[in-house]
Amino acid sequence: MQGVLLLVFAKYYHLPFLRGVQTQTTRTGLGGYWGNKGGVSARMSVYGHSVCFLNCHLPAHMENSEQRMEDFESILQQQQFEAQAATGVLDHDVVFWFGDLNFRIDDLEMHVVKGAIDNNKYSILWEKDQLNKAKGNEIVLEGFLEGPLKFPPTYKFDTGTHTYDTSGKKRKPAWTDRILWRLRAPVPAGPAPDGGGNKHGSLSCLSTGTRVTQHFYRSHMEYTVSDHKPVASIFTLQFPYKVDMPLVTLMVEDEWNSVADAIARFKVAPNFARSSWDWIALYKVGFKHHKDYVGYVWAKQDEADFHRQEHQVTFTEEELPKGSGDFLLGYYSNNMSSIVGVTEPFQIQLPTSSPEASPSDSSEFSSEDDSMKGSRSPSPSKRKRVGLLSRGHMANSSVWFVLHMHCIVCFL
């Protein structure tokens, strides 16, 4: 949204369990007409638990603390989702709120603030931080947690340097760039330490078993491209599985050494509503988007499909890569606008095309008029089930969310 960007990445094996992905944007600049200020959010169901990421850029300047809170409340009120149990941001089981929130340090003179920074006595500044003060007074901030601010204030620097503002305005240093989180209906805990976030800034949990652990919260002072320093945090989100089976299970051979091997079989869960616009795509390992495919085939269905437990699609030579490498298949659901089934990575090593072969480069996106091709039956002995991603596969793993935030503010 003009001045605010939110990117969410996930490991491929989590994709079938990230469902109901929706986004919202709210402009608050110039009375709601300009997107230099405001909020962007992305919500989803993660293994059956609702999670929302909200990135905000709130009003600047020391005297606008109340306006920042008003804009935050306006963003929360305007951002509504089409979800059964979590229609608003704060209705989600877990919320991550971050961005250039622009809160400043009240009362203290410039020399006191810089003296505390030079001597690493950040606790002197915590109780004067506007966001810390607001968390004790504003109902809308109830339940939001933040790790201790054990890094220097991240604003305002002379661009290209590590020197705080030397311009005529000489703005006081402040922790404008923040990362907070909130659990719905948290279990009552002991009081937080004075000023600097919750106990060790590390752990919070729900009575349902959901747990958020913060591993670090830091700034990256080495960057000089902005008058802000970027802030990052790593969390582990742990919870009991509510969803542990994919809606579509894809099966392929462990290697494709010829075009005849390029066959995928799949099974769908009883509660999965297929569409004639669903497709199965071939991706290189490390793909970034569901349209970042090498080739695809339509996963069409006909009347006979309703009586089958297993379905099959075939990739033609034109839809396969010319070289070798590691690939995986993903089933894209048109109704859900997301990938609902993936395989584990497998190898493709096709023979080099002869001079008479088509010169087209099938690594380009396939045209939209491709349909599901004819089928071939491979030797049963060559079949291998790849990528049945279920709770058993993930039982000893935590779901990791890495929130890297780099805020750049341009004053016009």
Side-chain angles (χ1 to χ4, degrees), residues 220-243:
H220 293 268
M221 304 300 287
E222 66 272 20
Y223 289 93
T224 62
V225 297
S226 168
D227 55 358
H228 291 249
K229 302 296 185 181
V231 173
S233 184
I234 289 182
F235 299 87
T236 297
L237 175 56
Q238 297 171 297
F239 40 60
Y241 289 83
K242 291 183 179 180
V243 175

mmCIF file of all heavy atoms in Angstrom, residues 220-243:
data_model
loop_
_atom_site.group_PDB
_atom_site.id
_atom_site.type_symbol
_atom_site.label_atom_id
_atom_site.label_comp_id
_atom_site.label_asym_id
_atom_site.label_seq_id
_atom_site.Cartn_x
_atom_site.Cartn_y
_atom_site.Cartn_z
ATOM 1 N N HIS A 220 19.446 -3.774 13.625
ATOM 2 C CA HIS A 220 20.594 -4.016 12.753
ATOM 3 C C HIS A 220 21.229 -2.659 12.455
ATOM 4 O O HIS A 220 20.917 -2.007 11.466
ATOM 5 C CB HIS A 220 20.150 -4.730 11.478
ATOM 6 C CG HIS A 220 19.652 -6.122 11.721
ATOM 7 N ND1 HIS A 220 20.461 -7.226 11.666
ATOM 8 C CD2 HIS A 220 18.419 -6.578 12.068
ATOM 9 C CE1 HIS A 220 19.762 -8.318 11.938
ATOM 10 N NE2 HIS A 220 18.522 -7.940 12.186
ATOM 11 N N MET A 221 22.122 -2.274 13.354
ATOM 12 C CA MET A 221 22.670 -0.928 13.306
ATOM 13 C C MET A 221 23.631 -0.720 12.136
ATOM 14 O O MET A 221 23.986 0.412 11.814
ATOM 15 C CB MET A 221 23.376 -0.613 14.630
ATOM 16 C CG MET A 221 22.497 -0.783 15.858
ATOM 17 S SD MET A 221 21.030 0.277 15.835
ATOM 18 C CE MET A 221 21.774 1.867 16.168
ATOM 19 N N GLU A 222 24.048 -1.811 11.484
ATOM 20 C CA GLU A 222 25.031 -1.674 10.399
ATOM 21 C C GLU A 222 24.442 -1.060 9.138
ATOM 22 O O GLU A 222 25.173 -0.605 8.256
ATOM 23 C CB GLU A 222 25.645 -3.050 10.077
ATOM 24 C CG GLU A 222 24.682 -4.077 9.501
ATOM 25 C CD GLU A 222 23.943 -4.893 10.554
ATOM 26 O OE1 GLU A 222 23.876 -4.436 11.721
ATOM 27 O OE2 GLU A 222 23.432 -5.972 10.203
ATOM 28 N N TYR A 223 23.110 -1.046 9.018
ATOM 29 C CA TYR A 223 22.491 -0.498 7.814
ATOM 30 C C TYR A 223 22.408 1.026 7.903
ATOM 31 O O TYR A 223 22.031 1.577 8.937
ATOM 32 C CB TYR A 223 21.099 -1.090 7.609
ATOM 33 C CG TYR A 223 21.127 -2.531 7.188
ATOM 34 C CD1 TYR A 223 21.061 -3.545 8.134
ATOM 35 C CD2 TYR A 223 21.248 -2.886 5.852
ATOM 36 C CE1 TYR A 223 21.110 -4.880 7.753
ATOM 37 C CE2 TYR A 223 21.293 -4.214 5.462
ATOM 38 C CZ TYR A 223 21.220 -5.212 6.418
ATOM 39 O OH TYR A 223 21.273 -6.518 6.027
ATOM 40 N N THR A 224 22.736 1.680 6.797
ATOM 41 C CA THR A 224 22.779 3.146 6.794
ATOM 42 C C THR A 224 21.984 3.761 5.647
ATOM 43 O O THR A 224 22.115 4.956 5.376
ATOM 44 C CB THR A 224 24.238 3.640 6.705
ATOM 45 O OG1 THR A 224 24.821 3.178 5.475
ATOM 46 C CG2 THR A 224 25.063 3.147 7.880
ATOM 47 N N VAL A 225 21.164 2.954 4.957
ATOM 48 C CA VAL A 225 20.448 3.466 3.785
ATOM 49 C C VAL A 225 19.238 4.305 4.156
ATOM 50 O O VAL A 225 18.615 4.915 3.301
ATOM 51 C CB VAL A 225 20.003 2.305 2.865
ATOM 52 C CG1 VAL A 225 21.210 1.574 2.327
ATOM 53 C CG2 VAL A 225 19.067 1.350 3.609
ATOM 54 N N SER A 226 18.896 4.334 5.437
ATOM 55 C CA SER A 226 17.691 5.034 5.877
ATOM 56 C C SER A 226 18.019 5.843 7.124
ATOM 57 O O SER A 226 19.068 5.661 7.755
ATOM 58 C CB SER A 226 16.585 4.014 6.175
ATOM 59 O OG SER A 226 15.507 4.615 6.860
ATOM 60 N N ASP A 227 17.085 6.728 7.509
ATOM 61 C CA ASP A 227 17.247 7.407 8.793
ATOM 62 C C ASP A 227 16.716 6.552 9.943
ATOM 63 O O ASP A 227 16.751 6.964 11.100
ATOM 64 C CB ASP A 227 16.573 8.788 8.784
ATOM 65 C CG ASP A 227 15.112 8.747 8.388
ATOM 66 O OD1 ASP A 227 14.612 7.646 8.082
ATOM 67 O OD2 ASP A 227 14.461 9.810 8.367
ATOM 68 N N HIS A 228 16.195 5.351 9.610
ATOM 69 C CA HIS A 228 15.834 4.339 10.604
ATOM 70 C C HIS A 228 16.830 3.186 10.533
ATOM 71 O O HIS A 228 17.460 2.955 9.506
ATOM 72 C CB HIS A 228 14.445 3.762 10.314
ATOM 73 C CG HIS A 228 13.317 4.716 10.528
ATOM 74 N ND1 HIS A 228 12.403 4.583 11.550
ATOM 75 C CD2 HIS A 228 12.929 5.826 9.847
ATOM 76 C CE1 HIS A 228 11.507 5.555 11.487
ATOM 77 N NE2 HIS A 228 11.807 6.323 10.457
ATOM 78 N N LYS A 229 16.931 2.425 11.615
ATOM 79 C CA LYS A 229 17.655 1.158 11.604
ATOM 80 C C LYS A 229 16.618 0.033 11.634
ATOM 81 O O LYS A 229 15.645 0.100 12.401
ATOM 82 C CB LYS A 229 18.570 1.037 12.820
ATOM 83 C CG LYS A 229 19.604 2.149 12.939
ATOM 84 C CD LYS A 229 20.600 2.134 11.781
ATOM 85 C CE LYS A 229 21.688 3.185 11.995
ATOM 86 N NZ LYS A 229 22.663 3.234 10.889
ATOM 87 N N PRO A 230 16.782 -0.991 10.801
ATOM 88 C CA PRO A 230 15.795 -2.086 10.785
ATOM 89 C C PRO A 230 15.814 -2.882 12.078
ATOM 90 O O PRO A 230 16.839 -2.991 12.753
ATOM 91 C CB PRO A 230 16.239 -2.942 9.595
ATOM 92 C CG PRO A 230 17.683 -2.625 9.411
ATOM 93 C CD PRO A 230 17.860 -1.203 9.823
ATOM 94 N N VAL A 231 14.659 -3.430 12.416
ATOM 95 C CA VAL A 231 14.484 -4.231 13.625
ATOM 96 C C VAL A 231 13.990 -5.613 13.224
ATOM 97 O O VAL A 231 13.180 -5.745 12.297
ATOM 98 C CB VAL A 231 13.482 -3.558 14.588
ATOM 99 C CG1 VAL A 231 13.157 -4.464 15.762
ATOM 100 C CG2 VAL A 231 14.035 -2.235 15.084
ATOM 101 N N ALA A 232 14.492 -6.650 13.879
ATOM 102 C CA ALA A 232 14.108 -8.023 13.548
ATOM 103 C C ALA A 232 13.852 -8.811 14.822
ATOM 104 O O ALA A 232 14.394 -8.508 15.888
ATOM 105 C CB ALA A 232 15.199 -8.704 12.717
ATOM 106 N N SER A 233 13.025 -9.833 14.679
ATOM 107 C CA SER A 233 12.780 -10.749 15.790
ATOM 108 C C SER A 233 12.463 -12.126 15.233
ATOM 109 O O SER A 233 11.894 -12.243 14.147
ATOM 110 C CB SER A 233 11.607 -10.258 16.657
ATOM 111 O OG SER A 233 11.435 -11.095 17.785
ATOM 112 N N ILE A 234 12.854 -13.155 15.964
ATOM 113 C CA ILE A 234 12.519 -14.531 15.599
ATOM 114 C C ILE A 234 11.663 -15.126 16.711
ATOM 115 O O ILE A 234 11.995 -15.018 17.897
ATOM 116 C CB ILE A 234 13.774 -15.386 15.377
ATOM 117 C CG1 ILE A 234 14.475 -14.975 14.084
ATOM 118 C CG2 ILE A 234 13.433 -16.870 15.320
ATOM 119 C CD1 ILE A 234 15.699 -15.799 13.744
ATOM 120 N N PHE A 235 10.560 -15.733 16.318
ATOM 121 C CA PHE A 235 9.637 -16.390 17.245
ATOM 122 C C PHE A 235 9.481 -17.856 16.877
ATOM 123 O O PHE A 235 9.621 -18.236 15.717
ATOM 124 C CB PHE A 235 8.238 -15.756 17.179
ATOM 125 C CG PHE A 235 8.169 -14.306 17.542
ATOM 126 C CD1 PHE A 235 8.375 -13.328 16.580
ATOM 127 C CD2 PHE A 235 7.880 -13.915 18.830
ATOM 128 C CE1 PHE A 235 8.299 -11.984 16.906
ATOM 129 C CE2 PHE A 235 7.789 -12.581 19.165
ATOM 130 C CZ PHE A 235 8.009 -11.606 18.200
ATOM 131 N N THR A 236 9.156 -18.662 17.871
ATOM 132 C CA THR A 236 8.628 -19.999 17.628
ATOM 133 C C THR A 236 7.181 -20.008 18.081
ATOM 134 O O THR A 236 6.868 -19.576 19.196
ATOM 135 C CB THR A 236 9.406 -21.077 18.417
ATOM 136 O OG1 THR A 236 10.752 -21.096 17.962
ATOM 137 C CG2 THR A 236 8.796 -22.456 18.181
ATOM 138 N N LEU A 237 6.316 -20.466 17.199
ATOM 139 C CA LEU A 237 4.889 -20.596 17.504
ATOM 140 C C LEU A 237 4.568 -22.080 17.608
ATOM 141 O O LEU A 237 4.733 -22.827 16.642
ATOM 142 C CB LEU A 237 4.059 -19.927 16.412
ATOM 143 C CG LEU A 237 2.545 -20.064 16.481
ATOM 144 C CD1 LEU A 237 2.024 -19.563 17.816
ATOM 145 C CD2 LEU A 237 1.889 -19.324 15.331
ATOM 146 N N GLN A 238 4.154 -22.525 18.775
ATOM 147 C CA GLN A 238 3.845 -23.936 19.015
ATOM 148 C C GLN A 238 2.392 -24.079 19.444
ATOM 149 O O GLN A 238 1.892 -23.279 20.233
ATOM 150 C CB GLN A 238 4.761 -24.508 20.107
ATOM 151 C CG GLN A 238 6.240 -24.510 19.729
ATOM 152 C CD GLN A 238 7.114 -24.866 20.908
ATOM 153 O OE1 GLN A 238 7.152 -24.167 21.898
ATOM 154 N NE2 GLN A 238 7.822 -25.979 20.784
ATOM 155 N N PHE A 239 1.730 -25.103 18.925
ATOM 156 C CA PHE A 239 0.339 -25.335 19.295
ATOM 157 C C PHE A 239 -0.049 -26.765 18.957
ATOM 158 O O PHE A 239 0.597 -27.428 18.144
ATOM 159 C CB PHE A 239 -0.604 -24.375 18.551
ATOM 160 C CG PHE A 239 -0.231 -24.130 17.118
ATOM 161 C CD1 PHE A 239 -0.175 -25.165 16.196
ATOM 162 C CD2 PHE A 239 0.073 -22.863 16.682
ATOM 163 C CE1 PHE A 239 0.159 -24.937 14.882
ATOM 164 C CE2 PHE A 239 0.422 -22.624 15.363
ATOM 165 C CZ PHE A 239 0.457 -23.675 14.466
ATOM 166 N N PRO A 240 -1.116 -27.272 19.586
ATOM 167 C CA PRO A 240 -1.632 -28.594 19.199
ATOM 168 C C PRO A 240 -2.267 -28.507 17.824
ATOM 169 O O PRO A 240 -2.895 -27.506 17.473
ATOM 170 C CB PRO A 240 -2.670 -28.901 20.276
ATOM 171 C CG PRO A 240 -3.108 -27.562 20.781
ATOM 172 C CD PRO A 240 -1.891 -26.684 20.704
ATOM 173 N N TYR A 241 -2.077 -29.546 17.019
ATOM 174 C CA TYR A 241 -2.606 -29.548 15.665
ATOM 175 C C TYR A 241 -4.124 -29.682 15.675
ATOM 176 O O TYR A 241 -4.678 -30.600 16.271
ATOM 177 C CB TYR A 241 -2.022 -30.706 14.861
ATOM 178 C CG TYR A 241 -0.573 -30.553 14.507
ATOM 179 C CD1 TYR A 241 0.413 -30.899 15.416
ATOM 180 C CD2 TYR A 241 -0.196 -30.057 13.268
ATOM 181 C CE1 TYR A 241 1.746 -30.752 15.092
ATOM 182 C CE2 TYR A 241 1.138 -29.914 12.938
ATOM 183 C CZ TYR A 241 2.112 -30.256 13.862
ATOM 184 O OH TYR A 241 3.425 -30.112 13.546
ATOM 185 N N LYS A 242 -4.802 -28.767 14.998
ATOM 186 C CA LYS A 242 -6.229 -28.927 14.718
ATOM 187 C C LYS A 242 -6.422 -29.501 13.318
ATOM 188 O O LYS A 242 -7.451 -30.121 13.047
ATOM 189 C CB LYS A 242 -6.944 -27.571 14.818
ATOM 190 C CG LYS A 242 -7.022 -27.007 16.231
ATOM 191 C CD LYS A 242 -7.819 -25.708 16.240
ATOM 192 C CE LYS A 242 -7.943 -25.140 17.641
ATOM 193 N NZ LYS A 242 -8.722 -23.871 17.647
ATOM 194 N N VAL A 243 -5.469 -29.264 12.438
ATOM 195 C CA VAL A 243 -5.477 -29.793 11.076
ATOM 196 C C VAL A 243 -4.133 -30.467 10.851
ATOM 197 O O VAL A 243 -3.096 -29.827 10.997
ATOM 198 C CB VAL A 243 -5.690 -28.675 10.039
ATOM 199 C CG1 VAL A 243 -5.582 -29.234 8.630
ATOM 200 C CG2 VAL A 243 -7.040 -27.994 10.245
#
